[in-house]
Amino acid sequence: QLQLVESGGGLVQAGGSLTLSCRASGRGFSSYSLAWFRQAPGLEREFVAAINWVGGTTIYADSLKGRFTISREDAKETVYLQMNSLKPEDTAVYYCAAVPKPHYSTEITWYDYWGQGTQVTVSS
């Protein structure tokens, strides 16, 4: 079992930056692949970024490459999402997700554990 708690969301102006954190509690964090998804009002949840349990391989949604960076710090049982050059269309609830497998996926159904989400609002 793994519990995930996101933090770091808030209100930011377009062009600004935010760093989201997702702290895990439970055993074996280093053996989980991790991901961030987001869901805007009225839209389906969509993939943002993922990192495998080795920590060396990452993947991003094509539209977000170059602006968002996912990283993990296993000693702190935390995964991060650094978001730069934010746009109003980045406004959404951001969720972290985890799966006890060595490989990530862009599919929602791949992940077994989810946080409650943190709101990010980007004003124009």
Side-chain angles (χ1 to χ4, degrees), residues 14-115:
S17 298
L18 277 177
T19 299
L20 305 183
S21 300
C22 176
R23 176 72 189 272
S25 60
R27 300 178 66 180
F29 179 80
S30 61
S31 297
Y32 284 76
S33 291
L34 306 162
W36 287 94
F37 288 78
R38 68 184 184 183
Q39 188 167 16
L43 299 180
E44 294 185 352
R45 193 170 298 190
E46 65 174 359
F47 173 77
V48 172
I51 186 166
N52 69 1
W53 74 7
V54 176
T57 304
T58 58
I59 187 172
Y60 297 90
D62 287 343
S63 62
L64 301 176
K65 285 181 183 177
R67 294 197 298 124
F68 287 17
T69 303
I70 187 172
S71 61
R72 63 188 296 163
E73 191 170 358
D74 289 348
K76 294 186 177 181
E77 297 186 324
T78 301
V79 59
Y80 304 97
L81 184 69
Q82 172 70 41
M83 306 185 293
N84 298 324
S85 303
L86 283 162
K87 305 175 182 179
E89 51 264 44
D90 294 319
T91 295
V93 177
Y94 284 71
Y95 299 89
C96 67
V99 63
K101 296 176 181 177
H103 306 296
Y104 50 58
S105 170
T106 62
E107 298 296 324
I108 292 172
T109 55
W110 182 254
Y111 297 90
D112 295 329
Y113 303 101
W114 292 83

